[in-house]
Amino acid sequence: MTESQPWWRSAVVYQVYPRSFADSDGDGIGDLRGLIGRLDHLERLGVDVLWLSPVYPSPQDDNGYDISDYRDVDPVFGTLADLDELIEAVHARGMRLMLDVVVNHTSDEHPWFADSRASRESVKRDWYWWRPPRPGHVGGEPGAEPTDWHGFFSGPVWEWDEASGEYYLHLFSAKQPDLNWENPQVRAAVQEMLRWWADRGVDGFRLDVINLISKAVRPDGTLPDGVDSPALAGTGLADGSAHYTNGPRLEEFLGELHREVFAAPTARGDVLVTVGEMPGVTLPLARSITDPGTPQLDMVFTFEHVSLDHGPGGKWDPRPLTLPALKANLAAWQTGLGDGWNALYWNNHDQPRIVSRWGDDSPEHRVASAKTLGTVLHLMRGTPFVYQGEELGLTNVSWTGIEDYRDLETLNHYRQAVRAGADPADVLAAVSAMGRDNARTPMPWSDAPHGGFTAGTPWLPANPAYPELNAAVAWADPRSVLHHYRRLIELRHTQPVVVDGDFELLLPDHEQLMVYRRTLGTQVLTVVANMSSAPASLDRTDLGITNGQVLLATHPPAPDDAGDVLLRPWESRVVLSTSALTP
Ligand code: TEU
């Protein structure tokens, strides 16, 4: 790392979804004291930053992504004192804490919304998006919605409020009304709240759907209708995303947040780190947003790579991934961000488990494929994010009935699809492949009941693999996915080429292999990965390495000859070599 680089460029982040991490009081829901009791796991793994999904007071309609008070902790997770203790405990271990903030919307139970809803004359009326019924229609009747947009969680984005005779906008659930960022009072209130947390000792923020905050509102206050989409056939609704994604004032609002909040040092005199979650962000926009020359956010989460297996019907219409498409997309982001910086991820609390999605979760290949997926992600340029359980190679679950699922996105989609005539078995198959509850099963710590997550009944059943697939077993086995992740994190901390090296993709069209090279001065790091469940061969001369030291591998060395290298299913190797100095 060069002196001028901020600390987070050599960091690895670990995401905790508190509801599913560790339960200290037996109510079946994870909490802050449970998390404090498990910090050893993070420290041993070597991660630098803990990203904590929302713990604020919330009706929990969307598991805390619906916030009713930005400055406290929900009793289900503990108290503000527990959070202060967590911040201190994280710092005492040399780590940092990043809070998840949801400011595109609040809960409908937030006092701001209660005020706004109270009457059309309320001083906070304009803090949210209130609109009259479509001209010529009667409010509350189908088709009277101010626009025809389909919401992220199915159904229209407008909720009729009988009492005040207007609709309010909610891109997500009806319990998540969108804040109106056009109103400067809203922006000031958000800034003040973020400064309050920074003063309390947090080291950074993950900003939920932050590229949806600027809507394409017309001068007369109306919002445009959307366009037809095959994924919405039969719903009577349209795709309005062009009017709320990457909106016209987005960069202005982010620049203002940076000036007013992120530019100031943290309570410990440090640089704050920020990452924006941005479904639908483009590469040129991400480059502009993360360019340190025009400061807005440090990193953004792109959704491009995790949409490559979505079919014409969207995420619920999955199709197989092709490796050349994945490599092309990752490489474009690796080389296209200019002075900006990548946030590298496979998993989070919204995505299915990567080993089941793009690896091979059969008993034969689970460990190697989880390790190889980790390797190709972690040795790219950017800051890697690990989601709880990913470091164990945790798999999807395949429950057979809709009654096992809890996630509102899944439940709403199931209802809408079945109502529109889909075969419930097909819908369930898609849910089991793509649903968010795959990521939300309790963290398996041991072979105790429910994986040692809770002494009670977990809010969501544990992955039935927990007796063999748990943290205790993984720590005890030097060949585990967990130790492999620990070594990958160590490589980032010890090899400057991993942080700063240039990126170059080799063999872009190869259907099985992902091969890339990182170069820093005379140091060359080559990553060779067989991303398939069949053997693959590679001509050594394709790599241009004649000698080198294997820093990390999934398999013990096999007898190679000087020509072809044979890679076993899901085998990967990381080789460090020195190139001749070019003048
Ligand atoms: O997610 C936003 C998002 O676009 C998706 O990941 C979404 O959750 C869905 O899976 C699309 O099909 C963020 C949070 O990460 C998510 O947990 C929240 O539900 C959502 O915003 C609303 O706050």
Side-chain angles (χ1 to χ4, degrees):
M1 191 174 85
T2 55
E3 284 297 312
S4 59
Q5 288 223 1
W7 63 267
W8 44 264
R9 288 205 170 192
S10 58
V12 176
V13 183
Y14 185 96
Q15 183 191 354
V16 167
Y17 194 66
R19 199 177 183 78
S20 303
F21 196 63
D23 174 22
S24 71
D25 59 8
D27 68 355
I29 300 176
D31 47 49
L32 290 173
R33 302 228 63 85
L35 166 56
I36 292 169
R38 291 292 182 183
L39 288 178
D40 272 354
H41 179 77
L42 275 65
E43 190 178 356
R44 267 180 95 182
L45 187 56
V47 298
D48 306 277
V49 184
L50 188 172
W51 150 20
L52 183 62
S53 278
V55 292
Y56 317 91
S58 162
Q60 304 291 329
D61 184 53
D62 188 18
N63 292 355
Y65 285 84
D66 47 322
I67 299 172
S68 55
D69 179 356
Y70 285 109
R71 303 186 193 204
D72 205 346
V73 168
D74 195 292
V76 84
F77 296 122
T79 63
L80 198 52
D82 293 332
L83 185 51
D84 287 338
E85 191 180 321
L86 174 70
I87 297 172
E88 218 172 285
V90 164
H91 287 162
R93 289 166 190 260
M95 300 187 288
R96 291 173 165 96
L97 187 89
M98 180 189 266
L99 277 193
D100 205 321
V101 288
V102 188
V103 287
N104 172 68
H105 44 268
T106 65
S107 162
D108 67 335
E109 297 182 33
H110 193 290
W112 294 347
F113 188 74
D115 269 15
S116 184
R117 174 178 235 166
S119 97
R120 287 203 215 178
E121 280 68 50
S122 156
V123 284
K124 289 206 170 59
R125 187 64 167 182
D126 183 52
W127 281 39
Y128 295 83
W129 294 88
W130 290 98
R131 290 294 181 274
R134 191 179 282 271
H137 288 75
V138 176
E141 289 182 356
E145 292 83 12
T147 69
D148 58 5
W149 307 349
H150 180 261
F152 281 85
F153 295 156
S154 303
V157 299
W158 296 98
E159 185 76 4
W160 175 241
D161 183 56
E162 188 67 48
S164 67
E166 284 186 313
Y167 284 93
Y168 67 85
L169 175 74
H170 60 90
L171 294 180
F172 294 88
S173 97
K175 289 188 67 61
Q176 294 168 301
D178 281 54
L179 279 166
N180 175 17
W181 279 65
E182 298 293 320
N183 186 323
Q185 292 173 3
V186 168
R187 306 205 297 277
V190 167
Q191 290 155 14
E192 203 192 312
M193 176 274 286
L194 292 172
R195 276 194 299 265
W196 187 82
W197 281 111
D199 291 344
R200 213 169 179 97
V202 309
D203 305 284
F205 301 105
R206 177 264 187 193
L207 297 127
D208 191 68
V209 291
I210 199 69
N211 65 327
L212 308 186
I213 57 177
S214 165
K215 276 79 173 170
V217 57
R218 298 191 185 106
D220 69 357
T222 59
L223 292 157
D225 272 330
V227 293
D228 288 343
S229 143
L232 302 176
T235 62
L237 297 169
D239 175 8
S241 56
H243 309 305
Y244 56 74
T245 304
N246 310 330
R249 298 185 70 188
L250 175 63
E251 292 195 85
E252 176 199 334
F253 294 160
L254 294 178
E256 185 182 71
L257 273 183
H258 188 274
R259 246 185 353 266
E260 299 296 325
V261 185
F262 308 147
T266 65
R268 301 197 303 162
D270 224 344
V271 182
L272 266 172
V273 62
T274 55
V275 53
E277 188 209 25
M278 300 205 175
V281 74
T282 63
L283 178 53
L285 180 60
R287 179 182 174 130
S288 174
I289 288 172
T290 64
D291 183 346
T294 49
Q296 299 176 44
L297 300 177
D298 298 323
M299 299 175 255
V300 312
F301 288 126
T302 164
F303 279 62
E304 285 185 358
H305 66 305
V306 293
S307 305
L308 291 170
D309 59 0
H310 295 183
K315 87 177 245 184
W316 302 114
D317 177 26
R319 63 180 178 195
L321 175 79
T322 67
L323 187 61
L326 177 66
K327 291 189 290 187
N329 184 265
L330 295 175
W333 282 78
Q334 283 291 293
T335 55
L337 272 187
D339 293 331
W341 196 250
N342 272 291
L344 307 170
Y345 77 97
W346 291 137
N347 273 124
N348 57 45
H349 62 292
D350 297 330
Q351 300 291 330
R353 295 282 178 181
I354 198 63
V355 68
S356 302
R357 186 181 193 178
W358 293 343
D360 181 337
D361 63 7
S362 69
E364 199 184 346
H365 298 303
R366 184 187 67 84
V367 168
S369 68
K371 287 179 180 176
T372 285
L373 283 160
T375 298
V376 299
L377 187 84
H378 276 250
L379 300 179
M380 290 194 290
R381 186 178 166 85
T383 296
F385 287 70
V386 181
Y387 176 68
Q388 66 186 46
E390 178 184 345
E391 77 280 23
L392 305 176
L394 198 60
T395 57
N396 280 354
V397 283
S398 29
W399 295 323
T400 48
I402 192 67
E403 58 285 350
D404 290 325
Y405 292 91
R406 295 286 172 273
D407 175 28
L408 84 169
E409 182 191 36
T410 291
L411 300 178
N412 290 354
H413 163 69
Y414 182 86
R415 251 178 255 128
Q416 173 174 295
V418 171
R419 204 185 306 129
D423 180 343
D426 293 344
V427 184
L428 268 179
V431 159
S432 138
M434 302 305 277
R436 305 196 298 182
D437 282 335
N438 283 305
R440 301 175 179 188
T441 57
M443 178 77 175
W445 294 105
S446 70
D447 61 4
H450 313 297
F453 161 74
T454 180
T457 306
W459 71 277
L460 188 69
N463 186 315
Y466 77 78
E468 294 82 38
L469 207 174
N470 63 61
V473 164
W475 279 122
D477 175 5
R479 293 157 312 164
S480 65
V481 178
L482 180 61
H483 281 288
H484 190 85
Y485 265 70
R486 184 181 56 71
R487 291 183 191 108
L488 285 169
I489 294 165
E490 195 175 271
L491 280 185
R492 178 163 295 271
H493 291 152
T494 53
Q495 301 288 341
V497 66
V498 174
V499 178
D500 286 320
D502 287 338
F503 175 94
E504 185 191 354
L505 181 71
L506 307 178
L507 310 181
D509 301 322
H510 202 292
E511 305 271 348
Q512 286 174 283
L513 295 177
M514 174 152 176
V515 183
Y516 64 82
R517 191 189 279 154
R518 306 284 314 277
T519 309
L520 184 68
T522 57
Q523 299 277 85
V524 181
L525 186 86
T526 309
V527 175
V528 182
N530 180 358
M531 305 270 285
S532 80
S533 302
S537 71
L538 167 72
D539 188 334
R540 195 179 279 276
T541 53
D542 278 348
L543 290 184
I545 7 175
T546 45
N547 57 17
Q549 179 199 358
V550 176
L551 295 184
L552 188 62
T554 50
H555 292 62
D560 284 336
D561 61 32
D564 280 4
V565 181
L566 190 69
L567 287 143
R568 288 156 283 190
W570 295 104
E571 176 170 2
S572 55
R573 300 182 201 172
V574 181
V575 182
L576 185 67
S577 53
T578 311
S579 71
L581 263 182
T582 40

